[in-house]
Amino acid sequence: MTRVVVIGGGNAGLCAAISAREQGADVELVERAPKHLRGGNSAFTAGLMRTAYDGWDDLSELIDMLSDSEIAETDFGSYSREEFLDTIGRVTGYRCDPDLADTLTTLSRPTLRWMREHGVRFAASYGRQAFRHEGRFRFWGGAVLEVVGGGVGLVDALFEEAERMGIAIRYGTRAVELLTEDGSIRGVRCVSSRARVDLDADSVVLAAGGFQADAEWRAKYLGPGWDLAKVRGTRFNTGDGIRMALAAGGSPSGNWSGCHAVAWDQNAPEFGDLAVGDGFQKHSYPCGILVNSRGDRFVDEGADFRN
C-alpha cells in the first residue's frame, strides 16, 4: 500500500490527506500545533469560499438549509470562471501562475461539492457579502458561500472526517527535514516534546503554510519593520515546509517580497487568538482616510470596494 505523509493540518493538508486516503493510501498527518490549537491559518478565517457558478441551481448542490421564501427573495446572480480568473489576476497584479489559476477556477465547484460529501457544510453568506436592494438580497464580488462554523467549523469537520477514515494524526509534532535516498524523497524527520521520529513515506505533501509567524524571515523578505507586524493567524507557520523543500533541492517560486495583509488592531496580541478569530480587523475604511502611527497616508483608500 502506498504510504503518504501530510505535513500541516489546515484546509489544504486535511483535504490532501482525505483525498489520498480515498484513493487507497495509508495516510499519516503531522500537525505541529497541539490539538486545541490545530487548523493552521484556516481556523482563523471566517470561512468564506469562492466558486464559479451560473445561478441558484449550481449553488443548490452545496447549500441545503434555505427555505423557499429565502430563495425567492434572494438574487444569487452568477460568477463565471472568467470573472473568477479576473479576480485572481487583479488581486495578484497578474503574477499568478496561469496553469494553477486555470485548475483552481475550473475545479472550484466540483471541489466544494467533494468537500461537502466529506462533511463540510456551506451556507449563503448573508452576514458578510449580501445586502437588501430593491426588496431582494444581492451578493457582492461573487462571494456567496461560507462554511458553517467559519474556519473552526471547516477544520473540525475535516478532522472528524479524517479520523473516521482511519487517518493517523500526530499533534504537537514538528516536521524538520525531508529524508532522501538517491535523489528521491523517502520520508520526513519529525520532532516532538517526547522524541525524534523518522516517518517513511512514498510521498510527502507539504501543506505547512508560509513564514508569516517567523519575524526574522518577515524582515528578510518583506523589508524593515515587518518583524514588528502582528500575526493574524497561527503562531506555528514559521516556514518549515519551505525550508525543508529548499534544503531538499526544491526551486523557490512566488512573490517573496509581497504578502496578504489587513489593517489590524494595534492592541491585538502578537499572534491570532482562536477565541476572537478575525475580530481584530479594522478594514471599514474605504470612505475615510487611513494613516499610520506617524500620521502618514497609508493606502489609497478608494482603490477598491469589496462589498
Side-chain angles (χ1 to χ4, degrees), residues 13 51 53 95 157 187 213 250:
T51 184
Y53 69 97
R95 295 182 179 92

Side-chain angles (χ1 to χ4, degrees), residues 1-6 15-29 162 165-168 200-205:
M1 179 183 291
T2 300
R3 177 164 168 76
V4 176
V5 174
V6 177
C15 285
I18 291 169
S19 179
R21 185 73 183 110
E22 194 174 47
Q23 301 304 312
D26 174 27
V27 182
E28 187 161 2
L29 187 145
M165 296 177 72
I167 295 171
D200 294 329
D202 298 294
S203 295
V204 177
V205 177

